[in-house]
Amino acid sequence: MKIVVLKFGGTSVGSIKKIKKVADIIAGYKKKKYKVIVISSAMSGVTNELIKKSFEISDNFSESEHDVLVSSGEQVACSLIAGRLIHKGYKSRSWLSWQIPIITVGIHKNSRINEINRKKITKYLKEGGIPIIAGFQGVNNENRITTLGRGGSDASAIMVAKFFKAQRCIIYTDVEGVYTTDPNKLKKAKKIKVISYEEMLEMASLGAKVMQPVSIQDARLNRIDIEVKSSFIKKTGTLITKRSSIINNKIVTGISSTQNDSKVSLIGVKDKPGVAASIFKPLSKNLINVDMVVQNISANGRETDLTFTIKTEDLNKTKKAIQENKNINYRKLLFEKGVSKISVIGVGMITTPGVTFRMFQTLANKKINIQVISTSEIKISVLIDKKNTKKALSALHKEFKLDNKK
Ligand code: ADP
Ligand code: ASP
Ligand code: MG
């Protein structure tokens, strides 16, 4: 069977007009004799609204009920798409995860797809039907509804492509593809024709919302090529694929930035073995993700300062966990909300020395202070004052020749 998986994001199904357009795109593939499997997200804004409602009920809303609640948005979008296709004369229906089923493992709000039963969908495809599958959701082995983390319908699409051995997996979104940096933040951003899984994974993890990081991991493990393109403009998008298929002479492929980071500093903690561990243990117990960490060299051999970053949404939990931790002493505890992490990413860095220097010099020329640094083989991240984000993005984009047409 020649199967294509089409995933539509929130903005692509954000209004009735757009849903009608989506139905036309789907019909186009059907006419080209593809067996089409569609994955849809909720209409844009709906998931956020549902989460807001849960907070109005309780600031400690049940995690299992959270998943039942927020997964409902996808049901609406799927039935509207299926309804439109039926209106156009096609055989179509919506499928919720428990009806297939799509089995997940892991915790509520952050589960992962482990298995998809192919039987019913395969039969439906053979009968000429167009299944419209709700993204973002699954069921666990206790038959409870689960969700896959924000942006999780990307992961639904990749895993459906894997289990149904799809020939193509296309992610339709509101931009024309993956850009050198967020095109909504920097006008000069350029569309990238081809990008490796590794670079895309770094870009997504470091703030490029266009793809959910977990979905890229799944695609990389299963060697699934992903096409990212616009639902609104008919143009070639971006191909995400394995590194060996790419010829690239750029040192830096893209630049990502984050919006919602906070910085925590503990001033004057004892400089002895085990202190960092005792600070981070309660954070990990509370499922708080610590990102960048820096510990100053102790000036007097007795005391040091420790700084780390977290997501701003975890700030209150973090404050509480540190203040209630009787195992650590510090002189001062500082929190700062207005920080942003800027990262330059590219496999070309492995073989090109001097990228770190160029990044730091560029920021220095713009009088932007670097607060924390972290690096890996293919990326360099720095923490800066949030108000300098745009200036930094623009200067780095130019420095690494990303302004130039490819
Ligand atoms: P969808 O609703 O289709 O899942 P998302 O809002 O999750 O769409 O992702 C698309 C958005 O990702 C774009 O509107 C864009 O602002 C943002 N984005 C961030 N970084 C990038 C990038 N490097 N390339 C393209 N888009 C990006
Ligand atoms: N609707 C979900 C969200 O907003 C899933 C997705 O968009 O992929 O996170
Ligand atoms: Mg998304």
Side-chain angles (χ1 to χ4, degrees):
M1 270 201 283
K2 200 170 93 170
I3 294 178
V4 62
V5 170
L6 310 178
K7 181 255 168 178
F8 295 94
T11 39
S12 304
V13 295
S15 66
I16 297 300
K17 197 171 155 203
K18 286 176 179 170
I19 288 178
K20 288 179 180 171
K21 176 90 203 298
V22 159
D24 293 343
I25 296 176
I26 298 167
Y29 284 93
K30 188 74 184 159
K31 281 182 199 138
K32 284 186 201 149
K33 303 280 174 258
Y34 276 105
K35 299 276 183 210
V36 188
I37 307 180
V38 175
I39 313 291
S40 184
S41 174
M43 294 171 82
S44 56
V46 168
T47 312
N48 286 345
E49 277 300 317
L50 292 167
I51 293 173
K52 220 169 106 197
K53 284 197 172 77
S54 77
F55 279 122
E56 285 167 17
I57 291 289
S58 162
D59 56 10
N60 198 17
F61 195 79
S62 148
E63 309 238 307
S64 50
E65 288 309 324
H66 169 101
D67 283 351
V68 178
L69 177 71
V70 302
S71 62
S72 66
E74 271 66 15
Q75 178 166 342
V76 175
C78 286
S79 84
L80 291 172
I81 299 172
R84 183 66 186 175
L85 284 165
I86 295 165
H87 169 90
K88 284 165 74 75
Y90 292 92
K91 180 181 164 83
S92 183
R93 64 159 277 196
S94 58
W95 290 85
L96 301 177
S97 55
W98 59 269
Q99 295 172 317
I100 298 175
I102 294 177
I103 309 293
T104 64
V105 289
I107 55 173
H108 278 289
K109 291 167 108 173
N110 222 350
S111 291
R112 292 192 68 161
I113 295 174
N114 191 32
E115 216 196 300
I116 300 178
N117 190 317
R118 282 188 297 265
K119 227 165 140 191
K120 290 183 203 162
I121 296 290
T122 306
K123 180 167 176 280
Y124 189 66
L125 286 171
K126 282 188 178 149
E127 291 164 0
I130 308 174
I132 316 294
I133 299 177
F136 184 47
Q137 55 171 263
V139 279
N140 65 17
N141 58 9
E142 285 163 12
N143 225 6
R144 299 294 310 256
I145 305 248
T146 55
T147 59
L148 310 176
R150 295 307 306 267
S153 14
D154 293 333
S156 306
I158 307 297
M159 292 309 269
V160 166
K162 170 196 156 144
F163 278 95
F164 288 90
K165 297 196 168 53
Q167 278 194 350
R168 298 175 67 187
C169 177
I170 308 175
I171 305 288
Y172 278 96
T173 184
D174 63 341
V175 285
E176 282 179 39
V178 179
Y179 281 67
T180 48
T181 193
D182 187 344
N184 288 319
K185 284 194 188 144
L186 191 75
K187 277 217 171 67
K188 284 194 170 153
K190 294 279 174 319
K191 187 163 62 185
I192 300 171
K193 278 198 191 114
V194 202
I195 184 169
S196 65
Y197 297 120
E198 290 79 6
E199 289 167 313
M200 190 64 237
L201 183 57
E202 290 281 11
M203 282 189 63
S205 314
L206 296 163
K209 183 179 169 235
V210 60
M211 289 298 300
Q212 188 212 29
V214 172
S215 73
I216 303 298
Q217 250 167 345
D218 289 336
R220 181 165 71 122
L221 285 173
N222 297 296
R223 290 291 184 245
I224 292 163
D225 284 352
I226 309 169
E227 295 164 59
V228 183
K229 53 172 24 173
S230 164
S231 299
F232 315 122
I233 299 161
K234 221 174 159 184
K235 270 194 184 164
T236 318
T238 300
L239 177 68
I240 308 171
T241 187
K242 54 183 183 298
R243 211 192 287 186
S244 55
S245 324
I246 304 173
I247 309 160
N248 188 2
N249 47 17
K250 284 252 186 300
I251 301 165
V252 168
T253 304
I255 307 175
S256 286
S257 66
T258 59
Q259 307 242 39
N260 299 312
D261 284 337
S262 283
K263 188 175 78 170
V264 181
S265 299
L266 286 99
I267 311 293
V269 288
K270 285 241 154 51
D271 193 16
K272 61 172 194 191
V275 169
S278 67
I279 292 170
F280 292 127
K281 192 174 168 194
L283 300 184
S284 101
K285 248 182 153 175
N286 281 294
L287 301 176
I288 297 164
N289 226 337
V290 173
D291 183 15
M292 305 170 99
V293 183
V294 58
Q295 184 178 334
N296 286 344
I297 294 183
S298 165
N300 55 13
R302 274 169 287 146
E303 273 190 349
T304 180
D305 305 335
L306 191 94
T307 296
F308 58 90
T309 63
I310 49 160
K311 288 276 153 243
T312 299
E313 67 201 40
D314 288 333
L315 191 57
N316 287 339
K317 262 204 290 186
T318 306
K319 270 186 194 167
K320 209 165 155 234
I322 295 176
Q323 282 158 352
E324 285 173 0
N325 185 350
K326 297 281 171 272
N327 294 322
I328 46 159
N329 293 309
Y330 46 85
R331 273 193 288 115
K332 228 193 305 177
L333 185 58
L334 303 174
F335 300 99
E336 195 184 322
K337 269 192 192 170
V339 289
S340 168
K341 184 167 69 167
I342 310 281
S343 310
V344 299
I345 296 127
V347 290
M349 265 183 225
I350 302 174
T351 47
T352 316
V355 181
T356 314
F357 164 73
R358 275 170 71 187
M359 181 175 192
F360 294 175
Q361 188 64 60
T362 305
L363 296 174
N365 291 346
K366 293 283 167 197
K367 306 220 169 353
I368 298 171
N369 188 35
I370 299 172
Q371 306 180 10
V372 185
I373 301 161
S374 77
T375 62
S376 80
E377 210 182 20
I378 64 164
K379 72 115 205 274
I380 308 162
S381 301
V382 296
L383 194 73
I384 60 168
D385 195 324
K386 199 171 170 176
K387 70 172 195 290
N388 290 324
T389 308
K390 184 126 192 248
K391 197 158 58 160
L393 274 182
S394 167
L396 292 168
H397 203 264
K398 187 165 176 216
E399 169 64 25
F400 292 108
K401 315 242 175 314
L402 299 175
D403 287 356
N404 308 352
K405 194 107 195 112
K406 299 213 151 192

